Amino acid sequence: AAAAAAAAPTAAAAAAPERSAENEVYVGNVPDDVSREELVEAFSQYGQIRSARVLKYRNRKSFAFVDFADASAADAAADEANGVTMRDRSMVVAKANSKVSDSK
């Protein structure tokens, strides 16, 4: 029984792979009331989405992370969705492991 219990976490981990920065994009400047469903709808054109989450920074700015099934989908989203407008807001989209900088 102990061996079966020890094997269970391994099986669960295989079924739900961990997020990888290679597969994830940061989405900034999203509407404050954007829903997870809206993100999935907007970004699913780039590839299969494993997860999407919307976060707020001190109740002021909303931002999100979208985790794709593979890195090529995340690359496509970062390349093609950056600057795209969502409800009058120009989104900032970049690979989660890269730094977003202002051009000076």
Side-chain angles (χ1 to χ4, degrees):
T10 305
E18 290 186 29
R19 287 193 317 266
S20 162
E22 290 292 313
N23 297 356
E24 193 168 48
V25 294
Y26 161 84
V27 186
N29 201 37
V30 295
D32 290 334
D33 62 345
V34 69
S35 69
R36 179 193 173 284
E37 291 75 19
E38 284 178 286
L39 283 174
V40 169
E41 183 179 327
F43 284 89
S44 63
Q45 63 183 310
Y46 303 108
Q48 181 182 355
I49 295 174
R50 293 193 304 190
S51 69
R53 47 195 210 283
V54 179
L55 306 159
K56 281 194 183 257
Y57 178 73
R58 296 186 184 176
N59 296 325
R60 292 185 304 196
K61 290 177 131 182
S62 292
F63 59 98
F65 288 95
V66 178
D67 183 40
F68 289 92
D70 60 69
S72 63
D75 290 338
D79 291 342
E80 298 173 28
N82 187 42
V84 169
T85 301
M86 176 184 275
R87 289 200 264 137
D88 298 328
R89 292 246 181 129
S90 179
M91 294 185 293
V92 176
V93 182
K95 290 290 292 266
N97 61 344
S98 65
K99 298 209 183 247
V100 177
S101 62
D102 295 326
S103 56
K104 293 184 179 182

